[in-house]
Amino acid sequence: MLREATIEPRQQPRQEILRAAARLFQQQGYDATSMNDVAAALKLSKGGLYHHFQSKDEILFHIMSHAMDITEERVINVARRVEDPEERLRTLIRLHIGVVLSEEDREITVMLHENHPLPPALRRKINARKKDYVHFVENLIADVQRQRNSTSQVTPRAAAFALVGMINWIYQWYKPGGLLTGDAILRQFTEIFFQGAVG
Amino acid sequence: MLREATIEPRQQPRQEILRAAARLFQQQGYDATSMNDVAAALKLSKGGLYHHFQSKDEILFHIMSHAMDITEERVINVARRVEDPEERLRTLIRLHIGVVLSEEDREITVMLHENHPLPPALRRKINARKKDYVHFVENLIADVQRQRNSTSQVTPRAAAFALVGMINWIYQWYKPGGLLTGDAILRQFTEIFFQGAVG
């Protein structure tokens, strides 16, 4: 047992680095954080860090990619398996809010929304994955509108941006332990999306 | 005429500085931008810049304050004058979307949403003004729910966060000249908030 425990942090050194770097970027700012700071926070030698990542840009890119991996694995891949479109959309809303509120992943996923300067080629890769996500939500909303014979003037595209916006914005105001619990947010945001807020 | 034109940029030197700094912060990152860069972009001497602002923190704080001034003047102060609650809420949605989409102000208002490290006392001042805005929206939604004898389970507070979130998120995806025009966004986001997206 002891042996496993001491070995464990080394098993996923890249993920450890990404997590520690994301924390530092948020605490002291992306540009103000050096590769040395990241190495020091992990008690790694500079060589040890450079063995995994060549630059801060590369670290930022992999933090963002990891955030998209999390979203695809825990939201899209699970929602996909739900047969009924409306149930699938409700599941997606629940899982996406879950990722945004996840204490464990917040430091990683928050980085997706801050517009730190990334080299254009890397920025394009992240933006393409963000677009794929919105596109998945858009198609799902179109399925739900069809299923309900909706007479709504709202296009699936505008609805997808509104939904993703209201959920991704949560990190700007959410306080763990506050009046609005995760369950309350889920219930109310789902109702707003399906029925509006003042009906 | 010529005389006026050459004098004009000097008439509001502080606003010129804030606008130029906001542009630089977005192009090359907040931390990577120095006071020298800001002075150079405006063809100001370093002394000329320091005459107006003592530090980059102070510039960032005043950019954010100016963004809140814009929101209060153009959204709250105008919406306040509309008597009917539902009309008032529709006006607020229209004006808030207008501020987010305003090409002239975007470089200023975007800075509100990026979490650059600001000294705690200044950060608290900005956060208090953001909270006042959400509170205004919350009270307005409560008025509309009362007026409509709403049976919604959605609390005005959750609804305010959802509405402010979907609108403030627009800057993350909006492309001027794209398929979703400002008018289309306004119409559809208003419908989503009042009736949901799949009715």
Side-chain angles (χ1 to χ4, degrees):
Chain A
M1 279 302 275
L2 184 64
R3 193 159 160 262
E4 264 180 47
T6 51
I7 285 173
E8 200 196 5
R10 301 255 145 225
Q11 286 178 334
Q12 301 213 330
R14 284 175 63 94
Q15 295 229 7
E16 294 276 319
I17 293 169
L18 296 181
R19 206 166 284 276
R23 200 174 307 128
L24 286 175
F25 293 162
Q26 276 151 67
Q27 282 166 357
Q28 56 190 50
Y30 176 68
D31 293 284
T33 303
S34 67
M35 287 292 271
N36 276 336
D37 294 337
V38 177
L42 287 153
K43 300 198 172 86
L44 270 176
S45 69
K46 218 173 161 179
L49 176 58
Y50 278 89
H51 173 71
H52 294 289
F53 298 102
Q54 299 305 307
S55 68
K56 230 170 52 169
D57 282 349
E58 200 186 324
I59 293 182
L60 179 59
F61 172 72
H62 284 282
I63 288 173
M64 290 177 148
S65 295
H66 185 44
M68 290 308 306
D69 293 342
I70 290 172
T71 308
E72 283 170 15
E73 280 164 27
R74 298 213 207 136
V75 184
I76 293 190
N77 291 351
V78 182
R80 241 189 241 291
R81 286 186 226 121
V82 179
E83 190 108 8
D84 178 67
E86 183 167 328
E87 237 4 90
R88 189 153 74 243
L89 180 54
R90 288 177 185 275
T91 301
L92 177 128
I93 294 173
R94 176 168 57 77
L95 296 172
H96 189 161
I97 290 178
V99 166
V100 172
L101 294 185
S102 155
E103 218 173 315
E104 197 197 334
D105 299 315
R106 202 169 324 141
E107 56 206 1
I108 296 286
T109 53
V110 158
M111 297 301 294
L112 270 182
H113 314 314
E114 306 281 320
N115 292 308
H116 297 293
L118 205 59
L122 299 182
R123 164 65 57 196
R124 274 194 295 274
K125 282 190 193 179
I126 297 295
N127 284 350
R129 292 184 73 179
K130 285 185 180 180
K131 274 184 199 162
D132 286 347
Y133 185 73
V134 172
H135 203 66
F136 181 84
V137 178
E138 182 184 346
N139 287 334
L140 179 41
I141 293 168
D143 289 346
V144 174
Q145 287 187 337
R146 260 191 302 274
Q147 185 191 30
R148 293 165 70 114
N149 295 315
S150 167
T151 56
S152 174
Q153 296 297 305
V154 177
T155 61
R157 187 153 191 79
F161 281 130
L163 181 62
V164 168
M166 70 172 95
I167 295 176
N168 279 341
W169 195 255
I170 292 172
Y171 84 99
Q172 293 265 9
W173 55 264
Y174 177 71
K175 295 270 180 305
L179 271 180
L180 272 170
T181 63
D183 276 352
I185 296 169
L186 167 60
R187 250 193 343 265
Q188 299 186 67
F189 277 31
T190 304
E191 180 168 339
I192 292 169
F193 191 76
F194 277 85
Q195 284 144 265
V198 291
Chain B
M1 277 305 275
L2 186 64
R3 193 158 159 263
E4 264 182 49
T6 50
I7 286 173
E8 200 197 5
R10 300 256 148 223
Q11 286 177 335
Q12 301 214 331
R14 284 175 63 95
Q15 295 228 8
E16 294 278 317
I17 293 169
L18 297 181
R19 205 166 286 276
R23 200 176 307 129
L24 285 174
F25 293 163
Q26 275 151 67
Q27 282 165 358
Q28 56 191 48
Y30 176 69
D31 292 284
T33 303
S34 67
M35 286 293 269
N36 276 335
D37 295 337
V38 177
L42 287 153
K43 301 199 170 82
L44 271 176
S45 68
K46 217 172 162 180
L49 176 57
Y50 277 91
H51 173 72
H52 294 289
F53 297 104
Q54 300 305 307
S55 68
K56 230 169 50 169
D57 282 349
E58 201 187 323
I59 292 181
L60 178 60
F61 170 72
H62 283 283
I63 289 173
M64 291 177 147
S65 295
H66 185 44
M68 289 308 306
D69 293 342
I70 290 172
T71 309
E72 284 170 14
E73 280 164 26
R74 297 212 208 139
V75 184
I76 293 190
N77 290 353
V78 182
R80 239 188 243 290
R81 287 187 226 122
V82 180
E83 190 110 6
D84 177 68
E86 183 167 328
E87 235 7 86
R88 189 154 71 243
L89 179 54
R90 289 179 185 274
T91 302
L92 177 128
I93 294 172
R94 175 169 57 79
L95 296 173
H96 188 161
I97 291 177
V99 165
V100 172
L101 294 185
S102 155
E103 217 174 313
E104 197 198 333
D105 299 315
R106 202 171 321 140
E107 55 206 1
I108 296 286
T109 54
V110 158
M111 297 301 294
L112 271 181
H113 314 316
E114 306 281 318
N115 292 310
H116 299 293
L118 205 58
L122 298 182
R123 164 66 56 199
R124 273 194 296 273
K125 283 190 193 179
I126 298 295
N127 284 349
R129 293 184 72 180
K130 286 185 179 179
K131 274 185 198 160
D132 287 346
Y133 185 74
V134 173
H135 203 66
F136 180 83
V137 178
E138 181 184 347
N139 287 333
L140 180 41
I141 292 169
D143 289 345
V144 174
Q145 286 187 339
R146 260 192 302 272
Q147 185 191 31
R148 292 165 70 114
N149 295 316
S150 168
T151 56
S152 174
Q153 296 297 305
V154 177
T155 61
R157 187 157 191 77
F161 281 130
L163 181 62
V164 168
M166 68 172 97
I167 295 176
N168 279 341
W169 194 255
I170 293 171
Y171 86 98
Q172 293 266 8
W173 55 264
Y174 177 71
K175 294 269 183 304
L179 271 181
L180 271 170
T181 62
D183 275 353
I185 296 169
L186 167 59
R187 249 190 347 264
Q188 300 185 66
F189 277 31
T190 304
E191 181 169 339
I192 292 169
F193 190 76
F194 278 86
Q195 285 144 265
V198 292

